[in-house]
PDB file of all heavy atoms in Angstrom:
ATOM      1  N   LEU E 313      -6.412  43.975  -3.786  1.00  0.00           N
ATOM      2  CA  LEU E 313      -6.709  42.819  -2.941  1.00  0.00           C
ATOM      3  C   LEU E 313      -6.893  43.226  -1.482  1.00  0.00           C
ATOM      4  O   LEU E 313      -7.820  42.771  -0.810  1.00  0.00           O
ATOM      5  CB  LEU E 313      -5.567  41.789  -3.063  1.00  0.00           C
ATOM      6  CG  LEU E 313      -5.636  40.574  -2.133  1.00  0.00           C
ATOM      7  CD1 LEU E 313      -6.811  39.686  -2.500  1.00  0.00           C
ATOM      8  CD2 LEU E 313      -4.330  39.778  -2.194  1.00  0.00           C
ATOM      9  N   TYR E 314      -6.026  44.120  -0.995  1.00  0.00           N
ATOM     10  CA  TYR E 314      -6.040  44.461   0.427  1.00  0.00           C
ATOM     11  C   TYR E 314      -6.877  45.696   0.761  1.00  0.00           C
ATOM     12  O   TYR E 314      -7.299  45.856   1.904  1.00  0.00           O
ATOM     13  CB  TYR E 314      -4.604  44.676   0.922  1.00  0.00           C
ATOM     14  CG  TYR E 314      -3.872  43.380   1.202  1.00  0.00           C
ATOM     15  CD1 TYR E 314      -3.156  42.744   0.195  1.00  0.00           C
ATOM     16  CD2 TYR E 314      -3.914  42.792   2.448  1.00  0.00           C
ATOM     17  CE1 TYR E 314      -2.488  41.549   0.443  1.00  0.00           C
ATOM     18  CE2 TYR E 314      -3.261  41.600   2.707  1.00  0.00           C
ATOM     19  CZ  TYR E 314      -2.550  40.986   1.701  1.00  0.00           C
ATOM     20  OH  TYR E 314      -1.898  39.801   1.935  1.00  0.00           O
ATOM     21  N   TRP E 315      -7.123  46.583  -0.221  1.00  0.00           N
ATOM     22  CA  TRP E 315      -7.768  47.845   0.102  1.00  0.00           C
ATOM     23  C   TRP E 315      -9.102  48.084  -0.599  1.00  0.00           C
ATOM     24  O   TRP E 315      -9.817  49.015  -0.242  1.00  0.00           O
ATOM     25  CB  TRP E 315      -6.814  49.015  -0.216  1.00  0.00           C
ATOM     26  CG  TRP E 315      -5.693  49.113   0.756  1.00  0.00           C
ATOM     27  CD1 TRP E 315      -4.479  48.512   0.675  1.00  0.00           C
ATOM     28  CD2 TRP E 315      -5.691  49.834   1.998  1.00  0.00           C
ATOM     29  NE1 TRP E 315      -3.710  48.822   1.776  1.00  0.00           N
ATOM     30  CE2 TRP E 315      -4.435  49.630   2.601  1.00  0.00           C
ATOM     31  CE3 TRP E 315      -6.626  50.642   2.645  1.00  0.00           C
ATOM     32  CZ2 TRP E 315      -4.092  50.189   3.825  1.00  0.00           C
ATOM     33  CZ3 TRP E 315      -6.277  51.210   3.855  1.00  0.00           C
ATOM     34  CH2 TRP E 315      -5.031  50.984   4.434  1.00  0.00           C
ATOM     35  N   LEU E 316      -9.446  47.260  -1.580  1.00  0.00           N
ATOM     36  CA  LEU E 316     -10.694  47.492  -2.299  1.00  0.00           C
ATOM     37  C   LEU E 316     -11.928  47.428  -1.399  1.00  0.00           C
ATOM     38  O   LEU E 316     -12.805  48.293  -1.495  1.00  0.00           O
ATOM     39  CB  LEU E 316     -10.823  46.513  -3.472  1.00  0.00           C
ATOM     40  CG  LEU E 316     -12.064  46.681  -4.354  1.00  0.00           C
ATOM     41  CD1 LEU E 316     -12.118  48.082  -4.960  1.00  0.00           C
ATOM     42  CD2 LEU E 316     -12.082  45.626  -5.468  1.00  0.00           C
ATOM     43  N   PRO E 317     -12.059  46.421  -0.515  1.00  0.00           N
ATOM     44  CA  PRO E 317     -13.246  46.416   0.362  1.00  0.00           C
ATOM     45  C   PRO E 317     -13.371  47.678   1.206  1.00  0.00           C
ATOM     46  O   PRO E 317     -14.475  48.224   1.372  1.00  0.00           O
ATOM     47  CB  PRO E 317     -13.039  45.166   1.231  1.00  0.00           C
ATOM     48  CG  PRO E 317     -12.167  44.276   0.409  1.00  0.00           C
ATOM     49  CD  PRO E 317     -11.239  45.220  -0.315  1.00  0.00           C
ATOM     50  N   LEU E 318     -12.232  48.162   1.745  1.00  0.00           N
ATOM     51  CA  LEU E 318     -12.278  49.378   2.569  1.00  0.00           C
ATOM     52  C   LEU E 318     -12.617  50.594   1.716  1.00  0.00           C
ATOM     53  O   LEU E 318     -13.363  51.489   2.146  1.00  0.00           O
ATOM     54  CB  LEU E 318     -10.937  49.571   3.279  1.00  0.00           C
ATOM     55  CG  LEU E 318     -10.874  50.720   4.289  1.00  0.00           C
ATOM     56  CD1 LEU E 318     -11.858  50.480   5.426  1.00  0.00           C
ATOM     57  CD2 LEU E 318      -9.459  50.887   4.826  1.00  0.00           C
ATOM     58  N   TYR E 319     -12.083  50.644   0.489  1.00  0.00           N
ATOM     59  CA  TYR E 319     -12.391  51.753  -0.428  1.00  0.00           C
ATOM     60  C   TYR E 319     -13.884  51.785  -0.740  1.00  0.00           C
ATOM     61  O   TYR E 319     -14.521  52.848  -0.688  1.00  0.00           O
ATOM     62  CB  TYR E 319     -11.578  51.584  -1.721  1.00  0.00           C
ATOM     63  CG  TYR E 319     -11.997  52.517  -2.839  1.00  0.00           C
ATOM     64  CD1 TYR E 319     -11.637  53.856  -2.832  1.00  0.00           C
ATOM     65  CD2 TYR E 319     -12.761  52.049  -3.908  1.00  0.00           C
ATOM     66  CE1 TYR E 319     -12.010  54.708  -3.855  1.00  0.00           C
ATOM     67  CE2 TYR E 319     -13.145  52.895  -4.944  1.00  0.00           C
ATOM     68  CZ  TYR E 319     -12.770  54.220  -4.914  1.00  0.00           C
ATOM     69  OH  TYR E 319     -13.155  55.054  -5.942  1.00  0.00           O
ATOM     70  N   ILE E 320     -14.447  50.618  -1.062  1.00  0.00           N
ATOM     71  CA  ILE E 320     -15.882  50.550  -1.373  1.00  0.00           C
ATOM     72  C   ILE E 320     -16.707  50.949  -0.152  1.00  0.00           C
ATOM     73  O   ILE E 320     -17.705  51.675  -0.265  1.00  0.00           O
ATOM     74  CB  ILE E 320     -16.255  49.135  -1.848  1.00  0.00           C
ATOM     75  CG1 ILE E 320     -15.584  48.828  -3.196  1.00  0.00           C
ATOM     76  CG2 ILE E 320     -17.772  48.977  -1.976  1.00  0.00           C
ATOM     77  CD1 ILE E 320     -15.777  47.403  -3.671  1.00  0.00           C
ATOM     78  N   SER E 321     -16.278  50.489   1.022  1.00  0.00           N
ATOM     79  CA  SER E 321     -17.000  50.827   2.254  1.00  0.00           C
ATOM     80  C   SER E 321     -16.965  52.331   2.526  1.00  0.00           C
ATOM     81  O   SER E 321     -17.982  52.934   2.894  1.00  0.00           O
ATOM     82  CB  SER E 321     -16.391  50.056   3.426  1.00  0.00           C
ATOM     83  OG  SER E 321     -17.024  50.376   4.638  1.00  0.00           O
ATOM     84  N   ASN E 322     -15.811  52.961   2.322  1.00  0.00           N
ATOM     85  CA  ASN E 322     -15.670  54.398   2.593  1.00  0.00           C
ATOM     86  C   ASN E 322     -16.366  55.268   1.566  1.00  0.00           C
ATOM     87  O   ASN E 322     -17.011  56.268   1.902  1.00  0.00           O
ATOM     88  CB  ASN E 322     -14.185  54.775   2.638  1.00  0.00           C
ATOM     89  CG  ASN E 322     -13.507  54.282   3.894  1.00  0.00           C
ATOM     90  OD1 ASN E 322     -14.157  53.784   4.810  1.00  0.00           O
ATOM     91  ND2 ASN E 322     -12.188  54.392   3.947  1.00  0.00           N
ATOM     92  N   VAL E 323     -16.233  54.890   0.279  1.00  0.00           N
ATOM     93  CA  VAL E 323     -16.751  55.743  -0.795  1.00  0.00           C
ATOM     94  C   VAL E 323     -18.222  55.475  -1.075  1.00  0.00           C
ATOM     95  O   VAL E 323     -19.014  56.404  -1.268  1.00  0.00           O
ATOM     96  CB  VAL E 323     -15.909  55.554  -2.078  1.00  0.00           C
ATOM     97  CG1 VAL E 323     -16.486  56.360  -3.234  1.00  0.00           C
ATOM     98  CG2 VAL E 323     -14.463  55.957  -1.819  1.00  0.00           C
ATOM     99  N   ALA E 324     -18.597  54.188  -1.121  1.00  0.00           N
ATOM    100  CA  ALA E 324     -19.990  53.840  -1.441  1.00  0.00           C
ATOM    101  C   ALA E 324     -20.829  53.612  -0.189  1.00  0.00           C
ATOM    102  O   ALA E 324     -22.037  53.373  -0.291  1.00  0.00           O
ATOM    103  CB  ALA E 324     -20.031  52.592  -2.322  1.00  0.00           C
TER     104      ALA E 324
END
Side-chain angles (χ1 to χ4, degrees):
L313 174 67
Y314 280 89
W315 287 90
L316 182 59
L318 186 62
Y319 169 76
I320 294 174
S321 178
N322 287 352
V323 176

